[in-house]
Structure formats: C-alpha cells, structure tokens
Amino acid sequence: MNVLTSRIDLILIGARGQVGRALCHRLARQQVRLRQVAGLDLRLVGTFDRRGFAADPDGLDPSQLAGQWRPRSAGDADHLLRCASTKAARPTVVIDCTASDEIADAYLAWLDAGLGVVGANKRANSRCLASYQDLQRTAREKSAPYRYESTVGAAIPLLGPLRDLRLRGERVRSLHGVLSGSLSYVFCRMHEGACFSEAVAEASRLGYTEPDPLEDLRATDLLRKLLVISREAGFETEPQDVHIEALLDPCPAPGVPLGEALRAADAAWRLRIDAAIARGERLVVVADVSECAASIGVHSVAAGSQFANLRPGENLILVRTELQEDPPLSLGGAGAGAEVTAAGVLSDVIGAATQLAAREASAIRQQGPQGALVAGSDVIATRMSARGDDLLAADENVLHQIAITGKHEAVVDVGGCRAGER
C-alpha cells in the first residue's frame, strides 16, 4: 500500500527525564509504522535540557541519543526554535516533557509562530484564567496544534471527551474524582499497611510523584490538574477559588530533610487510616469542581465505592452533565508513571502532526500552481517553472520551501537559517 507521507519535525525538551526517555523509546519503536500507516514521517531534529543539546536536520535516532549530546552553548536552543519558527521551516511540533515555568512561558510565542505545542507540563494551563484563554485563542487564530491531554490522567482520554461534550452543547455540571496517580498510589499503599513515609518514597522511586514530592503532598500538582480539567469542562476556575487540604501540614521548615518530615507524620496517618478501616471505609484524595465551588481534600468513602476499589496509581473521574447525571459519565485508568504518560504524549504528538500536515496541504491547495510549495512529503521540496508545468524533486539537503520568483527559485535552508538562490 502506497501512503503519501508528510514530514513533521519534532523538537523535544527534557529528553533525559523519565517521561522524555520513555517517549524517545516509544517514538523509535513507532516511527516506521507511523510512516506506513498514518503517513507521518516524524523526525526528531533537536532536543535539549539544562545540561545538553543535540540536533540533526535529517533527524536524530530517538533510541540512540546518549552518544549525540553535547554541552549547551549560548543561544543554541533559541537558534533551533527561531529557525523552526520561520515561514520557510517545515511543520514543527515542540514537545515539553519538563516541569519548567520558563519553558511554559514560551508556549504563547511558539503558538503565535504557528508551531505545534505538545505539553506534559501542567504549568502553562494552570495559571490565571486569562493566560489560559490567551493560549487557546492564539492556537485557534494561528491554526497551531496545542495538545496537553497527558497533563491530567497521563494516557487516560479525559480532556478530549470534555471538549467534545461542550462542542455538542452538553453542559458539564460537576467533576468529582481521584485525579492524582501519585496520591492514589500513596493511599492505596497505606491501606495495604505501608507507613506514610514509605508509601511516598515508593511513589517517588516509581516516577509517580513530581521531581519534588512536596508538590504532590501540598496538592500543588493536583491543583494544576484540577484547573486544567475544570477549564476544559467550561468552568472559569481561578487558582484562588480552590479550597485545598494539604497532606503534610505543616510543611517542612527550611533545612529539615523531607524524609524526616514524612516520618514525623507516619503516626498521625496510621491513626486516620485505621479509623477509616474500622468504619468499613477508605481514605482517598478527591478533587471536586462545579459552578459553585472547587476543592481538594481527603474523603472517607464506603469500602464498596468505585473510588475505594482503585488500584495503586489509578485515576477515576465522574462527570455529571445535563444529560448524564445518574449514572454520571465515568472515565478512569492508570494515571501515573513515565511509560503511560509517554504514551499519552505520543498520542498528542500524532494528533498535532496530523493537524499540521492537513494545514500544510490546505495551504498548498490555496496557493495553486504558481505558489510556494512547502516541504512535508516524501518529496522534500519541489520546484516549478513560472509556467507551472516543470515539476522536479529537489535535493534532499535543501530544507523546506522553494518560492517561485520569476524564473529563479529562492531556496531556504532551515538547518542553518540561511537563504540563498539556486
């Protein structure tokens, strides 16, 4: 079967983190199949983090990045992203597998330049509502893919179904559920007999918590998830609107090791867990939002409830709408871990790449035979005479676009951000 393929370039930020590494391995396994079945030629042309940088305009091998890193130099990442943002560049998706505010700060500019953005980083969409709305509006105006399904529930499809409900005019009345895979793991383990400090340490080792577990224990990370999902459901929730019950109160004083603070809380948590068991109940951390209120806290639920029977790390959310009230719509599954999160990120990458390929195809159709042809297919670029009847394959070392200027073809080399005549 012959499938016309569209080349989409990828820039990955945070490839050496747990999610980034898992994403690279999954991408390497799927690249051939994506070309054959989906017509997507996904090429990792650049990656960077705080310590290193790697780039290749022909594409890096995602499974062999270890030998391709070099130390960071001034302006290397900025140059890479600036080149990707030029009008001559191939369609590009920037993938953020960090938990960095600095990277999240750049989303708006990338979307404004027409780049696709896929984020596993919750920070961009959990700031003030106006900031979230700016990102959404810019993505729409620039026809730039903006996907972040894995920010809530890892690979569980939560945000997409909520958007679909709104598009079909079905108003969401409330969201109620366990949204933190890390805290789900911690509470399941405590009910199995583990002490609080031991359960948190296990969750951290498994990659379920944030790099700083206090983000989970203060419910800061869960707050971000609640803000993202509530806004996708149509609620105009601000961070200050959410009432939060932290799991570690007070938080450790400066200089006090986290392990010591966790061990100090073991006895109190054991009493609460044992009391719940004696009542025939279980403790779970639940997030709630409706038009009237939003909260995060520890709930004691009946042992037979859906929430009481979640396995360690699982999420479950009940969505009540004007059409689905009793029973509510139920969405759940594994909600934590690098592998499952990476799977969700790759789904978003595929979706963003598909959207970019369609955008490029539409642009070519609108330009007609005399317009510039943007590279993105197996024919990396084409050139046509002023009459439009001379079609030739361009050199594969020439990246992206050939713009017709009379009888001369201006060639843009995005790999080096150079332009010249051929």
Side-chain angles (χ1 to χ4, degrees):
M1 178 177 63
N2 292 322
V3 178
L4 180 64
T5 61
S6 296
R7 174 170 165 174
I8 307 295
D9 287 351
L10 309 178
I11 297 173
L12 173 58
I13 309 170
R16 288 188 281 198
Q18 292 187 55
V19 174
R21 287 198 305 270
L23 175 62
C24 285
H25 293 149
R26 186 168 291 273
L27 175 62
R29 293 197 303 268
Q30 293 299 113
Q31 278 179 312
V32 172
R33 180 168 174 77
L34 287 169
R35 280 196 298 270
Q36 293 173 341
V37 176
L40 295 174
D41 180 8
L42 303 183
R43 300 202 193 183
L44 181 63
V45 297
T47 183
F48 63 90
D49 56 22
R50 287 188 177 89
R51 296 176 290 124
F53 178 92
D56 186 333
D58 294 323
L60 300 159
D61 182 346
S63 66
Q64 301 294 328
L65 287 181
Q68 302 180 72
W69 290 98
R70 63 173 173 78
R72 290 292 300 270
S73 60
D76 50 9
D78 289 340
H79 178 74
L80 175 67
L81 290 160
R82 189 167 58 250
C83 289
S85 300
T86 64
K87 290 184 178 180
R90 283 193 180 91
T92 301
V93 178
V94 181
I95 309 164
D96 178 13
C97 286
T98 75
S100 165
D101 276 311
E102 181 183 359
I103 299 300
D105 289 343
Y107 282 18
L108 189 63
W110 294 339
L111 292 169
D112 191 56
L115 297 176
V117 175
V118 168
N121 185 349
K122 295 176 276 290
R123 293 167 188 258
N125 288 324
S126 59
R127 294 169 173 173
C128 68
L129 182 63
S131 175
Y132 168 84
Q133 292 171 335
D134 282 346
L135 290 167
Q136 304 298 323
R137 182 174 57 253
T138 302
R140 287 193 303 270
E141 291 174 351
K142 299 297 181 177
S143 298
Y146 182 36
R147 294 174 180 258
Y148 41 87
E149 184 71 57
S150 63
T151 58
V152 185
I156 306 169
L158 296 177
L159 305 183
L162 287 173
R163 284 192 289 269
D164 289 344
L165 290 174
R166 296 180 65 196
L167 286 172
R168 73 191 191 200
E170 185 173 347
R171 186 169 64 87
V172 177
R173 289 178 171 166
S174 69
L175 304 172
H176 174 81
V178 172
L179 291 176
S180 172
S182 57
L183 297 182
S184 169
Y185 182 91
V186 167
F187 275 74
C188 282
R189 289 291 293 120
M190 286 198 291
H191 276 279
E192 292 170 352
C195 60
F196 177 63
S197 59
E198 178 186 353
V200 173
E202 287 178 7
S204 180
R205 284 196 300 271
L206 290 169
Y208 289 177
T209 69
E210 292 297 293
D212 178 4
L214 283 176
E215 299 244 310
D216 299 88
L217 301 176
R218 292 171 177 149
T220 306
D221 184 63
L222 182 49
L223 170 62
R224 295 186 186 115
K225 293 179 181 180
L226 181 59
L227 289 168
V228 173
I229 197 170
S230 68
R231 291 166 177 178
E232 294 297 313
F235 301 116
E236 296 186 343
T237 315
E238 295 282 12
Q240 62 270 22
D241 297 335
V242 184
H243 178 267
I244 299 174
E245 176 188 354
L247 273 68
L248 196 61
D249 191 24
C251 286
V256 176
L258 177 59
E260 181 179 325
L262 294 177
R263 287 189 292 275
D266 281 345
W269 276 112
R270 178 45 53 197
L271 286 174
R272 291 185 67 175
I273 295 290
D274 289 346
I277 293 172
R279 295 191 302 269
E281 297 176 344
R282 287 176 69 97
L283 299 184
V284 294
V285 179
V286 173
D288 282 293
V289 66
S290 67
E291 291 179 348
C292 301
S295 64
I296 293 169
V298 180
H299 289 211
S300 189
V301 299
S305 79
Q306 290 173 283
F307 296 120
N309 289 287
L310 293 177
R311 291 178 297 183
E314 285 188 336
N315 286 180
L316 175 65
I317 184 164
L318 304 182
V319 183
R320 287 183 167 82
T321 77
E322 59 188 358
L323 299 179
Q324 302 179 79
E325 177 74 28
D326 188 17
L329 177 64
S330 178
L331 301 168
E339 290 293 339
V340 70
T341 302
V345 173
L346 184 55
S347 287
D348 276 348
V349 170
I350 294 167
T354 301
Q355 185 178 338
L356 285 176
R359 187 183 75 184
E360 295 303 304
S362 176
I364 291 172
R365 286 194 299 270
Q366 291 174 7
Q367 289 166 352
Q370 298 296 324
L373 295 183
V374 178
S377 70
D378 283 338
V379 179
I380 298 301
T382 60
R383 62 182 180 181
M384 299 178 72
S385 69
R387 296 193 308 273
D389 59 0
D390 178 22
L391 184 62
L392 298 172
D395 188 320
E396 290 195 7
N397 290 324
V398 177
L399 304 182
H400 294 318
Q401 186 177 20
I402 297 177
I404 306 302
T405 56
K407 290 193 177 181
H408 298 282
E409 295 98 351
V411 178
V412 181
D413 179 351
V414 173
C417 267
R418 299 188 301 275
E421 284 197 342
R422 213 179 150 190

